[in-house]
Amino acid sequence: DLMDNFTIYFGHVLCNSFYPVLQRAIGVGSAFEGWSPCEQDVVYRVLIPMTPPRGHSFHLELDTDGQRHVRNFRVRVQLECTCTREQQGENMLCFLHNPEEELRRNQDPSLLHTLCTGSYLDVHKTARWFYQLVRAIWPALPQAHNWHLVLLPSRRSCLFKVTNREECFWIEMLFGVRQGDSDIFVSSQPREARTPSTTWPESYAVAEVKFFKYITRQVPPDSLHLKCLQFFTRLQLGIGFSTYTMKTIVMHLLNVVPVSRWRRRDFLQRLVDINESLRLCVEVRRLNHFIVGNQRLPEEISLPPDVQMAEPPNLFHHLAQDSAAHSQAMSEYQVL
């Protein structure tokens, strides 16, 4: 309800502006997939798709200088001719074909002059803009009567919490641009500590949440597939294997083990399967990405052709390159 109200007010505030057009938020991550390693510290992450405003277009450019196992993009913003719309009486001057002085005098600046660095959409500037929007819109929302908003620092998202006397919710607004009509986005969420401000990593979060929703519709009522994932992600906290590693292993198993074999009576056997899969992946130093290059995804999950046909990245590439890291991972597996 909160996100839908934000979306409505975003539309009202931005309807005649040259800022990105904000679409309805999509819940992503463990909270919306039905599991979480720490239920008391859940962060509700939502991805807000952005489309170009009037007179602009977005063009995704793959960063070929990056590492092979990750795909990063830049979002190039290009001005488009709107002379015909101007001639039809729409209240807009063409950014391409009107004098700069007239544009400055009669029209708000283009997106290139507000949220871009050079010709590229800047994550840090976009995050600051989101903070200003949320702060400005909050008093008008119905939730503001009973909840208190606290904005929290974040350079690549809009992070805040809302509290009342009984409850506290942590919410992170990420933002991104959809690749065509697919479920793959480029998003503001970083993969590395020092991600440049004009770098937008490829995100598979929407495809992953759709996969979990698909599985939930297929499994029997007493399925414990989410409990298996929750068990292992809690178990490995502080050991060294990432939550995403365990999630990837469980997704691979859900894709090959029939849904009828995730019932309560199968709980121990599925835990053994997850454990064995982790051991094998560490030994061979390879864990394939679940979404990229996966030819066995449900039909309702839409991938761009280059993502669908790509060689799956190895999430354990660091183990393949570093024997010391591999030895450490084997030791951590023994502890687990």
Side-chain angles (χ1 to χ4, degrees):
D1 288 345
L2 176 61
M3 289 302 109
D4 283 346
N5 285 334
F6 265 124
T7 301
I8 291 168
Y9 278 84
F10 287 155
H12 290 327
V13 170
L14 302 173
C15 62
N16 290 314
S17 78
F18 299 109
Y19 286 102
V21 180
L22 305 180
Q23 309 297 323
R24 189 178 186 185
I26 304 170
V28 296
S30 61
F32 292 96
E33 290 164 349
W35 65 277
S36 181
C38 297
E39 289 180 336
Q40 68 275 20
D41 295 318
V42 172
V43 176
Y44 291 89
R45 289 188 173 88
V46 295
L47 177 66
I48 300 182
M50 301 187 301
T51 55
R54 300 168 298 157
H56 299 71
S57 59
F58 289 161
H59 302 272
L60 302 184
E61 296 182 355
L62 181 63
D63 182 1
T64 55
D65 296 332
Q67 300 169 325
R68 272 188 70 248
H69 57 273
V70 297
R71 291 199 348 150
N72 292 322
F73 287 79
R74 295 197 295 172
V75 180
R76 182 166 55 84
V77 176
Q78 185 171 305
L79 297 176
E80 301 290 334
C81 177
T82 57
C83 289
T84 54
R85 296 173 65 173
E86 188 179 329
Q87 290 161 6
Q88 291 168 358
E90 290 197 27
N91 186 26
M92 178 185 175
L93 299 175
C94 178
F95 282 114
L96 287 178
H97 300 118
N98 280 284
E100 286 189 24
E101 184 60 37
E102 185 181 1
L103 288 168
R104 271 197 301 270
R105 193 170 56 248
N106 297 306
Q107 190 159 273
D108 290 338
S110 76
L111 182 58
L112 285 170
H113 293 98
T114 54
L115 302 185
C116 291
T117 295
S119 300
Y120 295 96
L121 198 59
D122 188 296
V123 174
H124 296 170
K125 292 179 181 178
T126 306
R128 288 195 294 271
W129 171 65
F130 259 89
Y131 272 104
Q132 292 165 359
L133 270 180
V134 168
R135 184 184 288 112
I137 287 172
W138 173 255
L141 300 187
Q143 286 83 358
H145 299 299
N146 302 311
W147 295 81
H148 176 62
L149 172 74
V150 179
L151 291 163
L152 302 166
S154 175
R155 298 191 73 190
R156 295 185 65 92
S157 64
C158 182
L159 182 64
F160 59 93
K161 65 178 179 179
V162 290
T163 58
N164 63 15
R165 291 182 179 179
E166 291 93 29
E167 294 180 286
C168 176
F169 291 98
W170 297 73
I171 300 160
E172 184 174 26
M173 288 182 177
L174 302 163
F175 28 91
V177 177
R178 189 187 297 269
Q179 294 191 35
D181 296 324
S182 75
D183 294 315
I184 306 301
F185 287 74
V186 300
S187 107
S188 62
Q189 189 167 25
R191 285 204 189 94
E192 295 141 7
R194 296 184 179 179
T195 305
S197 66
T198 55
T199 294
W200 298 72
E202 192 165 62
S203 171
Y204 316 99
V206 172
E208 289 168 356
V209 79
K210 286 185 74 170
F211 175 75
F212 275 99
K213 288 179 178 177
Y214 168 83
I215 291 294
T216 298
R217 293 195 300 270
Q218 306 298 316
V219 294
D222 65 340
S223 175
L224 293 180
H225 64 289
L226 296 175
K227 291 294 184 186
C228 289
L229 175 53
Q230 198 166 42
F231 178 91
F232 259 94
T233 53
R234 286 189 183 183
L235 191 65
Q236 59 79 42
L237 287 175
I239 290 179
F241 296 108
S242 71
T243 299
Y244 195 71
T245 290
M246 304 314 304
K247 173 182 164 179
T248 299
I249 285 173
V250 171
M251 287 191 294
H252 278 298
L253 287 171
L254 283 168
N255 216 25
V256 295
V257 176
V259 293
S260 60
R261 290 168 58 187
W262 290 88
R263 308 182 77 143
R264 182 174 296 275
R265 63 172 181 252
D266 304 307
F267 185 59
L268 282 177
Q269 185 55 55
R270 296 293 78 80
L271 294 182
V272 169
D273 290 346
I274 296 168
N275 181 56
E276 282 297 297
S277 294
L278 176 61
R279 179 188 61 80
L280 181 61
C281 289
V282 173
E283 284 185 351
V284 302
R285 312 183 193 202
R286 183 162 192 91
L287 172 59
N288 283 344
H289 194 280
F290 179 69
I291 296 294
V292 179
N294 190 342
Q295 304 292 319
R296 299 187 54 172
L297 289 176
E299 290 184 3
E300 63 194 64
I301 297 176
S302 174
L303 303 183
D306 59 333
V307 173
Q308 188 171 29
M309 304 307 295
E311 179 72 21
N314 178 15
L315 300 186
F316 280 173
H317 65 275
H318 59 292
L319 303 186
Q321 295 171 346
D322 187 343
S323 57
H326 180 245
S327 298
Q328 177 70 17
M330 290 300 297
S331 299
E332 288 167 348
Y333 171 77
Q334 295 301 327
V335 171
L336 182 64

